[in-house]
Amino acid sequence: MGEPLRIGMVGAGKISGQYLDTIDRLDSLRLTAVTDLDAGRAKEAAERSGARVAADVAELVARDDVDAVLNLTVPAVHAQVALAAIAAGKHVYGEKPLAATREEAATIQAAARAAGVRVGSAPDTVLGTGTQTARKAVDDGLIGTPVAATAFMTTAGHEKWHPDPEFYYRPGGGPLLDMGPYYLSALVHLLGPVVKVTGAASTPRAEREIASGPRAGQRFPVEVDTTVAGVLEHAGGALSTLIMSFDIHAARLPRIEVHGTAGSLSVPDPNGFDGLVELYAAGPDAAWTPLEVSAGYRGAGRGTGLADLAAAVEAGRPHLASAELAEHVLDVMLTLLDSAHDGSALPVTSSCERPAPLGLIG
């Protein structure tokens, strides 16, 4: 291992603590600069890791001690920050989604190619042992030919716990664009890219009320669909059924299941890195059986995808939490919303390679 990849972090909100935990424990990454609209938050994050505070994004991306920008801003400005970093010749790794629109995603990709820098994107949860052990089971033929999958994310809404939840209910947010990347990235790892979608969506409530923090009781408008359902057709022929909702108080639905001609897989929550994978192999003595961990990064946390990008830069190989996958997932989600509003099945015009599998690492 050579010198660590020096990281400039833009955004020091709630999710940043998990990234800092990962950066602090890995020799391949070092935080050197932080900026945030809240100077106090930036100072706290910087002091934790011995980094410096930058006054703004322009100052941070211009620093000589920043090799890559970790973009933890709200979705509406993901593209703006990414393009500033790329223009300064920096690699970028950002929170999901890659951008708010297809056009922004394409602009990021084109700028990165022209600048010769890398762009990575969350979620990197798919690199953990949960999704990767399930992926290996599929690849090893333990369920035969994949036929169908289900993916469910149901919650009453992020305003129940987040003190500033408005951005989840503005363009670029909603249950699909907020949580969908975890589920869809996992489904692409398991079953390959999506070629066609059929969707439906609704917005039962025009307003939401903040339930925690200093602004508890304040109401704000909802600008996006808060329940989205769909059927996805994968390139290999498997069909996935999806429900993403901020309107459901309780459910006993599985997170992800994959069903094949020879059995079924229960896949753990794709918003986490590990978890139990169970196999139901069809036959006279069939029963749900736990699988041993067999693939993925052990002990992974948010920022593992950034560490993989650092290793990939050094080794000259593709990084796994790629912008190509993130761009396809964004297109799938936006096409699903288009389908819901148009009332018709629609083709997904983008595609990507099914990401390479991981062995067991760590």
Side-chain angles (χ1 to χ4, degrees):
M1 178 67 68
E3 292 297 313
L5 192 72
R6 298 170 298 179
I7 308 301
M9 187 172 77
V10 181
K14 263 189 168 298
I15 196 66
S16 66
Q18 295 183 49
Y19 279 90
L20 292 174
D21 287 343
T22 300
I23 292 171
D24 288 347
R25 66 181 172 82
L26 294 180
D27 293 337
S28 61
L29 303 173
R30 180 161 63 90
L31 188 72
T32 55
V34 181
T35 192
D36 189 277
L37 293 174
D38 184 327
R41 291 196 311 196
K43 183 174 183 290
E44 183 179 351
E47 288 178 347
R48 167 178 168 169
S49 301
R52 295 182 179 274
V53 174
D56 52 26
V57 173
E59 180 183 320
L60 183 139
V61 301
R63 292 183 64 91
D64 292 335
D65 61 352
V66 170
D67 304 312
V69 171
L70 175 58
N71 184 2
L72 303 183
T73 56
V74 297
V77 295
H78 280 182
Q80 178 184 336
V81 173
L83 290 171
I86 292 167
K90 314 296 185 183
H91 305 299
V92 182
Y93 184 91
E95 254 302 324
K96 46 73 189 168
L98 176 64
T101 68
R102 298 179 183 88
E103 293 74 20
E104 287 179 347
T107 300
I108 290 170
Q109 290 278 62
R113 286 192 293 268
V117 299
R118 305 226 186 185
V119 178
S121 177
D124 52 4
T125 49
V126 291
L127 306 182
T129 56
T131 298
Q132 290 298 318
T133 294
R135 160 75 183 266
K136 188 174 189 304
V138 172
D139 290 351
D140 288 348
L142 299 188
I143 62 168
T145 301
V147 173
T150 56
F152 301 117
M153 192 296 299
T154 60
T155 177
H158 292 351
E159 74 277 10
K160 302 299 182 185
W161 57 270
H162 199 293
D164 298 295
E166 286 94 336
F167 70 93
Y168 288 115
Y169 296 89
R170 292 171 180 159
L176 184 61
L177 266 71
D178 175 48
M179 298 300 293
Y182 297 108
Y183 290 78
L184 288 166
S185 297
L187 289 172
V188 173
H189 271 265
L190 293 164
L191 300 172
V194 177
V195 297
K196 186 169 69 174
V197 299
T198 304
S202 66
T203 309
R205 287 180 282 166
E207 287 188 331
R208 297 276 175 141
E209 182 176 311
I210 300 173
S212 65
R215 300 173 59 221
Q218 291 186 21
R219 301 186 68 82
F220 61 91
V222 174
E223 303 175 33
V224 295
D225 296 309
T226 52
T227 293
V228 181
V231 176
L232 320 175
E233 182 179 329
H234 295 266
L239 302 177
S240 291
T241 300
L242 181 82
I243 296 176
M244 303 276 118
S245 180
F246 283 171
D247 297 304
I248 296 175
H249 291 281
R252 294 177 176 175
L253 297 165
R255 298 296 187 173
I256 294 180
E257 290 183 347
V258 184
H259 309 285
T261 55
S264 296
L265 273 177
S266 175
V267 184
D269 186 352
N271 192 17
F273 288 86
D274 50 20
L276 184 66
V277 179
E278 293 183 286
L279 171 68
Y280 184 96
D285 299 319
W288 286 103
T289 304
L291 295 181
E292 291 186 9
V293 169
S294 59
Y297 282 99
R298 288 187 188 271
R302 279 172 170 77
T304 294
L306 179 59
D308 181 78
L309 186 150
V313 168
E314 185 172 350
R317 63 163 174 84
H319 55 286
L320 295 174
S322 71
E324 289 74 22
L325 171 59
E327 184 176 23
H328 177 60
V329 166
L330 176 66
D331 189 28
V332 171
M333 294 188 296
L334 294 177
T335 305
L336 186 60
L337 292 173
D338 289 342
S339 171
H341 298 152
D342 292 349
S344 61
L346 293 175
V348 177
T349 57
S350 70
S351 189
C352 68
E353 295 291 328
R354 188 182 178 209
L358 276 170
L360 189 57
I361 301 172

